[in-house]
Amino acid sequence: MLQPTIEQIYLIKTIIDNSLDSLILNDSEIFDIHMHEPRRISEDARVLNRELHETTINHRLAYYLENNIQKCELSYYKVDIEYNRFYENLKLLDTVEGIRSVRPDILIHSRTNHEINPQHYLVIEAKKGTIIQHDINKINGFISDENYNYLFGLTVSYCSSDSHILANLYYFDGEDIINEQINREK
């Protein structure tokens, strides 16, 4: 497993903080379940509007992540949603639950440039609802699976709290995969 430096940890936390802050500032209406709609919108329309697929929100977070990595020494990385460089071949991951076919929500990685080290920088599992143990197992798998060796993992829950976006950053500290909370007030 790869162990990030203190500088890398600081940098990724800054990128995540800035990206989540931009998402909240500019796009909170797409994940604000309790938003107040004008009276002319029917209750049915309000309910349908809240049934946005999480990919809609993930796209906006990926957009802000991409903007923020372009401003620093990570500008050679790409930000993708549900990307698989092997196309139709399943992306298999060895986790504590066994070998699973997976599609991570957001990636910061090198698509094909094998000179970039590490190849896989950040993998994100983001949900409208609560992050479950299965999501955490996937993140830990991407960090520990030698086929991927992600430097960082992140789980994000957009809507499980009325007041905050709940996020946890995962990385290998030399002994274990640890996690740190990165919660942002909505």
Side-chain angles (χ1 to χ4, degrees), residues 3 14 16 22 25 30 46 68 77 81-82 95 98-99 101 105-106 108 120 134 147 154 167:
Q3 182 177 355
T14 301
I16 292 166
S22 294
L25 179 66
I30 64 175
R46 287 178 51 173
N68 283 304
Y77 283 107
I81 294 178
E82 298 185 10
T95 73
I99 296 176
S101 171
D105 293 325
I106 304 171
I108 297 178
H120 304 107
H134 175 73
N147 293 310
L154 182 71

CSV table of all heavy atoms in Angstrom, one decimal, residues 3 14 16 22 25 30 46 68 77 81-82 95 98-99 101 105-106 108 120 134 147 154 167:
chain,number,residue,atom,x,y,z
A,3,GLN,N,1.8,5.0,1.0
A,3,GLN,CA,1.6,5.9,2.1
A,3,GLN,C,1.8,7.4,1.7
A,3,GLN,O,2.9,7.7,1.2
A,3,GLN,CB,2.5,5.6,3.3
A,3,GLN,CG,2.3,6.4,4.5
A,3,GLN,CD,3.3,6.0,5.6
A,3,GLN,OE1,4.0,5.1,5.6
A,3,GLN,NE2,3.2,6.8,6.7
A,14,THR,N,-7.2,20.1,1.2
A,14,THR,CA,-7.5,21.4,0.7
A,14,THR,C,-8.4,21.4,-0.5
A,14,THR,O,-9.4,22.1,-0.7
A,14,THR,CB,-6.2,22.2,0.4
A,14,THR,OG1,-5.5,22.3,1.7
A,14,THR,CG2,-6.5,23.6,-0.1
A,16,ILE,N,-10.4,18.9,-1.5
A,16,ILE,CA,-11.7,18.4,-1.1
A,16,ILE,C,-12.5,19.5,-0.4
A,16,ILE,O,-13.7,19.7,-0.8
A,16,ILE,CB,-11.6,17.1,-0.2
A,16,ILE,CG1,-11.0,16.0,-1.0
A,16,ILE,CG2,-12.9,16.8,0.4
A,16,ILE,CD1,-10.6,14.8,-0.1
A,22,SER,N,-17.4,24.8,-2.9
A,22,SER,CA,-18.0,25.3,-4.1
A,22,SER,C,-19.3,24.6,-4.5
A,22,SER,O,-20.2,25.3,-5.0
A,22,SER,CB,-16.9,25.1,-5.3
A,22,SER,OG,-15.8,25.9,-5.1
A,25,LEU,N,-21.9,26.2,-2.3
A,25,LEU,CA,-22.2,27.6,-2.6
A,25,LEU,C,-22.9,27.7,-3.9
A,25,LEU,O,-23.9,28.4,-4.1
A,25,LEU,CB,-20.8,28.3,-2.7
A,25,LEU,CG,-20.9,29.8,-3.2
A,25,LEU,CD1,-21.6,30.6,-2.1
A,25,LEU,CD2,-19.5,30.4,-3.4
A,30,ILE,N,-29.4,21.3,-5.9
A,30,ILE,CA,-29.6,19.9,-6.4
A,30,ILE,C,-29.6,18.8,-5.4
A,30,ILE,O,-29.9,17.7,-5.7
A,30,ILE,CB,-28.6,19.6,-7.6
A,30,ILE,CG1,-27.1,19.6,-7.0
A,30,ILE,CG2,-28.7,20.5,-8.7
A,30,ILE,CD1,-26.1,19.2,-8.1
A,46,ARG,N,-42.2,18.6,-7.1
A,46,ARG,CA,-41.2,18.8,-6.1
A,46,ARG,C,-40.6,17.4,-5.7
A,46,ARG,O,-39.4,17.3,-5.6
A,46,ARG,CB,-41.8,19.4,-4.8
A,46,ARG,CG,-42.0,20.9,-4.9
A,46,ARG,CD,-42.7,21.4,-3.7
A,46,ARG,NE,-41.9,21.0,-2.5
A,46,ARG,CZ,-42.1,21.4,-1.3
A,46,ARG,NH1,-43.1,22.3,-1.1
A,46,ARG,NH2,-41.4,21.0,-0.3
A,68,ASN,N,-10.1,22.5,-9.1
A,68,ASN,CA,-9.1,22.7,-8.1
A,68,ASN,C,-7.8,22.0,-8.3
A,68,ASN,O,-6.7,22.5,-8.0
A,68,ASN,CB,-9.7,22.3,-6.7
A,68,ASN,CG,-10.7,23.3,-6.2
A,68,ASN,OD1,-10.3,24.5,-6.0
A,68,ASN,ND2,-11.9,22.9,-6.0
A,77,TYR,N,-3.4,15.0,-13.6
A,77,TYR,CA,-4.4,14.0,-13.4
A,77,TYR,C,-5.7,14.3,-14.1
A,77,TYR,O,-6.0,15.5,-14.3
A,77,TYR,CB,-4.6,13.8,-11.9
A,77,TYR,CG,-3.6,13.0,-11.2
A,77,TYR,CD1,-2.7,13.7,-10.3
A,77,TYR,CD2,-3.5,11.7,-11.3
A,77,TYR,CE1,-1.7,13.0,-9.6
A,77,TYR,CE2,-2.5,10.9,-10.6
A,77,TYR,CZ,-1.6,11.6,-9.8
A,77,TYR,OH,-0.7,10.9,-9.1
A,81,ILE,N,-16.0,10.2,-13.9
A,81,ILE,CA,-17.1,9.6,-13.2
A,81,ILE,C,-17.2,8.2,-13.8
A,81,ILE,O,-17.3,8.0,-15.0
A,81,ILE,CB,-18.4,10.4,-13.4
A,81,ILE,CG1,-18.2,11.7,-12.7
A,81,ILE,CG2,-19.6,9.6,-12.8
A,81,ILE,CD1,-19.4,12.6,-12.8
A,82,GLU,N,-17.3,7.2,-12.9
A,82,GLU,CA,-17.5,5.8,-13.3
A,82,GLU,C,-16.7,5.3,-14.5
A,82,GLU,O,-17.1,4.7,-15.4
A,82,GLU,CB,-19.0,5.5,-13.5
A,82,GLU,CG,-19.8,5.8,-12.3
A,82,GLU,CD,-21.3,5.5,-12.4
A,82,GLU,OE1,-21.7,4.9,-13.4
A,82,GLU,OE2,-22.0,5.9,-11.5
A,95,THR,N,-11.9,-7.2,-1.9
A,95,THR,CA,-12.3,-6.5,-0.7
A,95,THR,C,-12.5,-7.6,0.4
A,95,THR,O,-12.4,-8.8,0.1
A,95,THR,CB,-13.6,-5.7,-0.8
A,95,THR,OG1,-14.7,-6.6,-0.9
A,95,THR,CG2,-13.6,-4.8,-2.0
A,98,GLY,N,-14.9,-10.2,-0.5
A,98,GLY,CA,-14.5,-11.0,-1.6
A,98,GLY,C,-14.3,-10.2,-2.9
A,98,GLY,O,-14.3,-9.0,-2.8
A,99,ILE,N,-14.1,-10.9,-4.0
A,99,ILE,CA,-13.8,-10.2,-5.2
A,99,ILE,C,-15.2,-9.7,-5.8
A,99,ILE,O,-16.1,-10.5,-6.0
A,99,ILE,CB,-13.1,-11.1,-6.2
A,99,ILE,CG1,-11.7,-11.4,-5.7
A,99,ILE,CG2,-13.0,-10.4,-7.6
A,99,ILE,CD1,-10.9,-12.4,-6.5
A,101,SER,N,-17.3,-7.0,-8.6
A,101,SER,CA,-17.3,-6.1,-9.8
A,101,SER,C,-17.7,-4.7,-9.3
A,101,SER,O,-18.7,-4.6,-8.6
A,101,SER,CB,-18.3,-6.6,-10.8
A,101,SER,OG,-18.4,-5.6,-11.9
A,105,ASP,N,-17.6,5.9,-8.1
A,105,ASP,CA,-18.3,7.1,-8.5
A,105,ASP,C,-17.5,8.2,-9.2
A,105,ASP,O,-17.8,8.6,-10.2
A,105,ASP,CB,-19.1,7.7,-7.3
A,105,ASP,CG,-20.2,6.8,-6.8
A,105,ASP,OD1,-20.8,6.1,-7.6
A,105,ASP,OD2,-20.4,6.7,-5.6
A,106,ILE,N,-16.4,8.5,-8.5
A,106,ILE,CA,-15.5,9.6,-9.0
A,106,ILE,C,-14.1,9.1,-8.8
A,106,ILE,O,-13.7,8.6,-7.8
A,106,ILE,CB,-15.7,10.9,-8.3
A,106,ILE,CG1,-17.2,11.4,-8.4
A,106,ILE,CG2,-14.8,12.0,-8.9
A,106,ILE,CD1,-17.5,12.6,-7.6
A,108,ILE,N,-9.9,10.4,-9.4
A,108,ILE,CA,-8.8,11.3,-9.8
A,108,ILE,C,-7.6,10.4,-10.1
A,108,ILE,O,-7.1,9.7,-9.2
A,108,ILE,CB,-8.4,12.4,-8.8
A,108,ILE,CG1,-9.5,13.3,-8.5
A,108,ILE,CG2,-7.1,13.1,-9.2
A,108,ILE,CD1,-9.3,14.4,-7.4
A,120,HIS,N,-3.1,6.1,-9.5
A,120,HIS,CA,-4.4,6.3,-9.0
A,120,HIS,C,-4.3,7.2,-7.7
A,120,HIS,O,-3.7,6.7,-6.7
A,120,HIS,CB,-5.0,4.9,-8.6
A,120,HIS,CG,-5.1,4.0,-9.8
A,120,HIS,ND1,-4.2,2.9,-9.9
A,120,HIS,CD2,-5.8,4.0,-10.9
A,120,HIS,CE1,-4.5,2.3,-11.1
A,120,HIS,NE2,-5.5,3.0,-11.7
A,134,HIS,N,-20.4,-1.4,3.1
A,134,HIS,CA,-20.0,-1.9,1.7
A,134,HIS,C,-19.3,-0.8,1.0
A,134,HIS,O,-18.3,-1.1,0.3
A,134,HIS,CB,-21.3,-2.3,0.9
A,134,HIS,CG,-21.0,-2.6,-0.5
A,134,HIS,ND1,-20.4,-3.8,-0.9
A,134,HIS,CD2,-21.3,-1.9,-1.6
A,134,HIS,CE1,-20.3,-3.8,-2.2
A,134,HIS,NE2,-20.8,-2.7,-2.7
A,147,ASN,N,-3.7,-4.0,-7.6
A,147,ASN,CA,-4.1,-3.7,-9.0
A,147,ASN,C,-4.4,-2.2,-9.1
A,147,ASN,O,-4.4,-1.6,-10.2
A,147,ASN,CB,-5.2,-4.5,-9.5
A,147,ASN,CG,-4.9,-6.0,-9.6
A,147,ASN,OD1,-3.8,-6.3,-10.2
A,147,ASN,ND2,-5.7,-6.8,-9.0
A,154,LEU,N,-12.3,8.5,-0.5
A,154,LEU,CA,-13.2,9.4,0.1
A,154,LEU,C,-14.6,8.9,0.0
A,154,LEU,O,-15.0,8.4,-1.0
A,154,LEU,CB,-13.1,10.8,-0.6
A,154,LEU,CG,-14.0,11.9,0.0
A,154,LEU,CD1,-13.4,12.4,1.3
A,154,LEU,CD2,-14.0,13.1,-1.0
A,167,ALA,N,-18.3,13.7,5.0
A,167,ALA,CA,-17.3,13.1,4.2
A,167,ALA,C,-16.2,12.5,5.1
A,167,ALA,O,-16.0,13.0,6.2
A,167,ALA,CB,-16.6,14.1,3.2
